[in-house]
Amino acid sequence: MPEEKLLLLSCCAPCSCGVIEMLAEQGRVFTVLFYNPNIDTAEEYQKRLAENQRVCARFGVPFAQLPYEPELWRAAVAGLEQEPERGRRCSVCFELRLKRAAQYAKEHGFTRFSSVLGLSRYKDLAQVNAAAARAAAAVGVPYDETNWRKGGTEALRHLLIKDMRLYNQNYCGCVFSRRK
């Protein structure tokens, strides 16, 4: 049986840092993937990208990124602009990003993929897992539904945010979550 090789989709360093440290300390074989076409400006995208890279460098974790494709995201959520947070727009956004992560996983020999998209208390973990199940079924790569909110990662994440002085934004990245 081949060694498990996990691809972890990261939305931002503050959400992923605790999970990254925990997986690295466990000696797991994994790579962090940054694919976030939902981020509203190129400047915000670059800040989040740089912070993700910094966290991965600190823990010696491989890092991969896919192109910034805001026009693809805008087309996917067209007509859902007035949806509330945790509404249909979020489901479409999650599925778009998770499907692309699953495709990357398949193309690069990962045995499974996971994400920290449901780590924030502002997101619905069941909604993320449902989108991930659809993405996994469409692409044929299993999704790891680990609840990263448990097992001490939440406390660890807050310590790392402070210790590393991470840029800690107050919205998911999309223009519609910023409007609140």
Side-chain angles (χ1 to χ4, degrees), residues 22-120:
M22 181 195 69
L23 291 173
E25 286 183 354
Q26 291 173 355
R28 299 272 300 272
V29 176
F30 75 105
T31 295
V32 172
L33 176 67
F34 191 77
Y35 179 62
N36 296 292
N38 59 305
I39 297 176
D40 64 343
T41 67
E43 179 183 14
E44 181 70 17
Y45 179 88
Q46 289 302 320
K47 282 183 193 175
R48 293 183 190 208
L49 172 66
E51 290 293 79
N52 266 262
Q53 290 170 321
R54 188 162 68 96
V55 169
C56 287
R58 175 171 171 165
F59 296 109
V61 172
F63 180 84
Q65 74 181 88
L66 291 171
Y68 177 47
E69 303 172 314
E71 63 289 337
L72 181 68
W73 180 83
R74 283 273 190 184
V77 300
L80 301 173
E81 295 85 354
Q82 299 306 314
E83 283 286 312
E85 283 298 295
R86 298 181 174 204
R88 290 181 303 154
R89 182 184 64 250
C90 292
S91 291
V92 169
C93 177
F94 294 148
E95 190 167 348
L96 171 76
R97 292 154 68 197
L98 289 159
K99 187 172 183 183
R100 187 61 190 98
Q103 290 166 338
Y104 184 93
K106 187 172 192 171
E107 292 163 5
H108 292 87
F110 289 89
T111 55
R112 55 192 331 98
F113 73 108
S114 191
S115 79
V116 297
L117 298 181
L119 195 118
S120 167

